Amino acid sequence: MTFEQLTTSSPGRRSGVAVWRQIADTLTTEIRDRAYAGTGRLPGEVELSARFAVNRHTLRQAVAALQSEGLLRIEPGRGMFVQHELMDYALSRRTRFSENLLRQGLLPSKQLLTAREMPAPERAARELKLDKGAKVLMVEMLDEANDAPIGLATAYYPALRFAGLLEMLAEGTRTTDILKHFGVQDYVREQSRITTQMPNDETARLLRQPGTRPLLCVECLDVDMEGTPIKYGETVFCGDRVQLVVNAGGTA
């Protein structure tokens, strides 16, 4: 006997409430109780249909309801995933990664992926006002909130001014403390440019998202209090996890 055929007096069945709605309510409770927090992925249709003893049509009604309520998303070929609540990421003259997350009760963390000296790419050289062929220190970080990836950040620093920065990063020294070591007591965001782009395979893998989902891209230039460029950066954010908030007042 299927779940649809059970009498309204049976345990787990609410009188007068459609079966698909009851399934949707059960899954909603589980999502809000963070039952799927580990991977963010729900069991497949076959497993859920068997669990609730219903046919796929009934299950799909429940899933469609969760999609329309913004709790669930379907990724073709991958399955059903909990829709992350969008995190606000403020862009202002004092944009700070850790402060942005801590303000929302999220735990910030970073993984150092790449750190090396290299000739400055054309765009980085132009923004940092460096001569052609000048060296920069390139640092690539995976930005995380509560251990979940939210962005991939690439930063370029003038190598001549910040010689030793890479070694300090490798030792785990915070970027703010490194800059102070080099005499940069404070800095501000000179400009931010926001665009969208599609991820390549490696970026999609690092951010744990499908390659068909667009990214938010922020190009930025940070300057010291004398207006001298100290960092040019490019960060790509997961579009379904982050929304960018531009502060017109100029402060975070």
Side-chain angles (χ1 to χ4, degrees):
M1 180 178 294
T2 67
F3 193 60
E4 291 103 325
Q5 295 170 322
L6 295 176
T7 65
T8 56
S9 61
S10 297
R13 180 72 181 269
R14 287 178 287 154
S15 176
V17 180
V19 174
W20 67 264
R21 184 68 260 177
Q22 295 183 48
I23 295 172
D25 289 347
T26 297
L27 293 175
T28 295
T29 298
E30 293 176 351
I31 289 170
R32 289 177 175 165
D33 288 344
R34 300 181 61 80
Y36 308 104
T39 63
R41 184 174 184 171
L42 274 68
E45 275 192 2
V46 173
E47 186 175 342
L48 286 175
S49 296
R51 171 189 170 187
F52 293 109
V54 296
N55 59 42
R56 291 193 182 186
H57 174 73
T58 300
L59 180 67
R60 286 169 183 168
Q61 285 182 286
V63 169
L66 296 181
Q67 279 185 285
S68 66
E69 292 163 14
L71 294 175
L72 202 65
R73 71 176 188 274
I74 306 297
E75 296 185 6
R78 297 190 71 232
M80 296 180 284
F81 292 83
V82 175
Q83 179 65 52
H84 297 273
E85 183 175 352
L86 286 176
M87 181 198 83
D88 287 344
Y89 195 89
L91 297 178
S92 70
R93 279 183 60 79
R94 297 191 61 80
T95 296
R96 300 291 189 269
F97 171 75
S98 293
E99 291 177 12
N100 266 337
L101 271 61
L102 291 172
R103 191 181 296 121
Q104 298 172 76
L106 301 171
L107 180 65
S109 59
K110 289 176 174 283
Q111 290 187 41
L112 178 60
L113 302 178
T114 308
R116 61 189 175 93
E117 183 174 310
M118 61 181 288
E122 182 179 348
R123 184 61 174 269
R126 183 168 66 252
E127 296 291 345
L128 293 171
K129 299 180 181 178
L130 299 175
D131 294 333
K132 183 177 181 180
K135 295 294 182 67
V136 291
L137 305 175
M138 188 274 281
V139 178
E140 186 179 48
M141 295 272 197
L142 184 65
D143 294 339
E144 300 170 318
N146 291 346
D147 296 322
I150 60 169
L152 185 62
T154 305
Y156 301 91
Y157 300 88
L160 188 61
R161 181 174 183 179
F162 297 108
L165 178 147
L166 299 183
E167 291 75 13
M168 296 178 73
L169 270 179
E171 293 170 358
T173 309
R174 295 189 314 156
T175 303
T176 300
D177 293 333
I178 293 174
L179 293 176
K180 287 181 178 179
H181 171 81
F182 288 103
V184 182
Q185 298 302 315
D186 200 4
Y187 61 96
V188 293
R189 177 68 53 86
E190 177 73 13
Q191 63 184 14
S192 295
R193 298 188 187 94
I194 303 171
T195 57
T196 59
Q197 66 182 53
M198 300 303 295
N200 58 33
D201 291 343
E202 179 63 8
T203 298
R205 183 188 69 80
L206 288 168
L207 295 178
R208 301 180 204 166
Q209 71 159 63
T212 55
R213 185 179 304 137
L215 301 169
L216 295 172
C217 180
V218 178
E219 296 180 56
C220 63
L221 179 66
D222 291 343
V223 300
D224 62 21
M225 303 314 290
E226 285 72 46
T228 303
I230 61 169
K231 185 193 79 172
Y232 168 70
E234 301 170 348
T235 300
V236 290
F237 292 100
C238 301
D240 68 333
R241 300 173 205 170
V242 176
Q243 60 183 0
L244 301 174
V245 180
V246 179
N247 191 319
T251 59

